[in-house]
Amino acid sequence: MLVWKEISRLASGSRMNVMKNVHQSVLLNEVLKYLDLKDGDIFLDATLGGGGHSREIAKKFGEKIQIIGLDLDPEALKRTETALLPFSRKFALRVANFRNLDSVLEELGQKKITKILFDLGLSSNELEESGRGFSFKKDEPLLMSFADPESAKLTARVIVNNWQEENLADILYGFGGERFSRRIAKAIVEERKKQPIETTSELVSILQKALPSFYCRSRTHFATRTFQALRMAVNDELGALDEGLRKGYEHLEVGGRMAVISFHSLEDRMVKKYFAGLAQQLLVKLISKKVIVPTEEEVKENPRSRSAKLRLIEKLK
């Protein structure tokens, strides 16, 4: 059995300031409804982010549900701890990639869990406050790593300054669907010959010069796909998702449910294919045959939710 360490230290006033910029959790009502949480559940929040889903669960169930939370960003753990403490102290938060969830569960002495959530989107805190270059609207170091920069194995700066032009073009097209990937890759290589590309602003400037004027005036910001592709490459997001899904299923109790919120077609395709394969083997049932998307009201309140897709399964055997 999992030995839970109760946290007696209450959040200080200065720590409460962390929560001023409240992250809006996507598809919150749908997640709570379809995960069908019950007293006694052991819930794994594989991507804490802003901590909104776990906070709502703690608020509703208190200590009747045990929460395990993972995130590569130590700040995410601090935010979530602050959010959970008013409602529960029955939780364990760890700095870890969800691809290593099996190691965390082993450390905690917890062999099985009953409910799992993967929310694959960036939190508002990561975009607005991390200082790691996730947003093309800010002038920040070109990092884009979910992990602490000091421990990160790869950064966006390394990619744009060291990878070959062909490889750059491949990831921009493959991960970002960027139609002008080769033009961008060529421009990056030419600019880095003059001096290293260090910041997000420098990269955005290169993109603006390299791309057609009509593209720069389009509804979607011209840097969106490039930044997405670099972030996915830096964090090996598809590789991590593949491992996380398999390990999550392996550690899920029979009758337990797994939910995944994706924001990118490549991620959603991977989740859909994996779930369908399990269903064909009669190992799981699909909670909803159709993908679940945000309501029009939610999209109006939180435009970042517009591309979110929720899929769920229940383990049969």
Side-chain angles (χ1 to χ4, degrees):
M1 291 295 293
L2 173 60
V3 178
W4 293 87
K5 181 180 180 181
E6 292 197 353
I7 304 173
S8 60
R9 176 174 53 82
L10 293 177
S12 64
S14 61
R15 292 232 1 238
M16 289 300 289
N17 289 334
V18 175
M19 298 306 295
K20 285 184 178 179
N21 183 13
V22 179
H23 169 72
Q24 291 179 270
S25 297
V26 173
L27 292 164
L28 178 60
N29 293 330
E30 290 81 356
V31 166
L32 295 178
K33 175 183 176 180
Y34 290 106
L35 272 182
D36 192 26
L37 291 146
K38 296 181 173 63
D39 292 355
D41 271 340
I42 302 170
F43 170 65
L44 173 63
D45 189 337
T47 46
L48 286 172
H53 290 101
S54 285
R55 179 185 183 277
E56 197 62 27
I57 289 170
K59 181 179 179 181
K60 184 175 181 179
F61 292 93
E63 298 190 350
K64 295 177 182 178
I65 282 184
Q66 300 172 343
I67 297 174
I68 302 172
L70 312 180
D71 205 288
L72 275 170
D73 185 359
E75 291 303 313
L77 270 65
K78 294 178 183 178
R79 288 192 298 267
T80 302
E81 181 183 339
T82 301
L84 295 182
L85 279 172
F87 309 107
S88 174
R89 296 178 183 176
K90 204 168 185 179
F91 59 84
L93 310 180
R94 295 292 184 271
V95 176
N97 190 310
F98 56 67
R99 74 191 313 162
N100 299 318
L101 66 86
D102 54 335
S103 298
V104 174
L105 294 177
E106 182 178 357
E107 174 215 331
L108 295 173
Q110 187 67 46
K111 293 182 178 181
K112 295 289 184 179
I113 43 187
T114 55
K115 303 292 164 64
I116 310 174
L117 171 64
F118 295 87
D119 180 355
L120 306 178
L122 279 174
S123 73
S124 300
N125 304 92
E126 286 170 321
L127 278 171
E128 305 297 338
E129 301 175 0
S130 71
R132 299 180 188 178
F134 289 116
S135 174
F136 44 75
K137 296 180 181 179
K138 293 178 174 290
D139 184 20
E140 297 176 342
L142 205 51
L143 301 171
M144 299 195 193
S145 172
F146 293 144
D148 189 301
E150 294 183 3
S151 62
K153 296 179 181 179
L154 182 64
T155 66
R157 182 190 180 280
V158 171
I159 291 177
V160 300
N161 286 292
N162 296 289
W163 283 25
Q164 294 181 358
E165 182 177 329
E166 183 179 355
N167 292 337
L168 276 172
D170 285 346
I171 66 164
L172 294 180
Y173 182 76
F175 292 158
E178 176 53 69
R179 59 190 288 196
F180 294 107
S181 59
R182 301 206 176 280
R183 184 184 294 200
I184 292 171
K186 183 177 180 179
I188 288 174
V189 171
E190 289 300 317
E191 286 296 323
R192 75 190 189 191
K193 290 178 181 177
K194 304 172 187 176
Q195 62 181 26
I197 304 167
E198 302 283 353
T199 68
T200 53
S201 293
E202 291 172 12
L203 179 57
V204 170
S205 179
I206 293 169
L207 296 177
Q208 191 165 20
K209 293 175 184 176
L211 292 166
S213 57
F214 78 87
Y215 194 71
C216 293
R217 295 193 303 268
S218 62
R219 184 176 179 182
T220 300
H221 195 283
F222 59 86
T224 299
R225 297 180 183 278
T226 294
F227 272 63
Q228 173 184 285
L230 289 173
R231 190 202 75 222
M232 293 182 72
V234 166
N235 298 286
D236 186 26
E237 292 183 32
L238 294 182
L241 178 57
D242 179 58
E243 284 191 61
L245 290 174
R246 288 189 289 103
K247 292 178 179 179
Y249 169 77
E250 289 169 4
H251 287 81
L252 193 63
E253 286 273 15
V254 172
R257 293 190 174 188
M258 180 192 299
V260 183
I261 303 174
S262 61
F263 293 79
H264 186 282
S265 59
L266 291 176
E267 294 170 337
D268 182 58
R269 199 175 305 142
M270 179 180 290
V271 175
K272 181 180 180 180
K273 182 178 180 180
Y274 181 67
F275 283 1
L278 293 175
Q280 287 175 357
Q281 299 176 66
L282 303 181
L283 298 175
V284 305
K285 72 174 180 179
L286 304 177
I287 302 304
S288 174
K289 292 184 178 180
K290 291 185 177 180
V291 66
I292 300 167
V293 297
T295 62
E296 291 183 9
E297 182 181 357
E298 179 174 359
V299 173
K300 288 180 180 178
E301 293 179 359
N302 181 15
R304 288 176 180 163
S305 70
R306 63 184 179 275
S307 59
K309 295 181 178 180
L310 171 64
R311 297 184 186 275
L312 303 99
I313 54 171
E314 180 177 308
K315 190 170 184 177
L316 299 179
K317 56 182 177 181

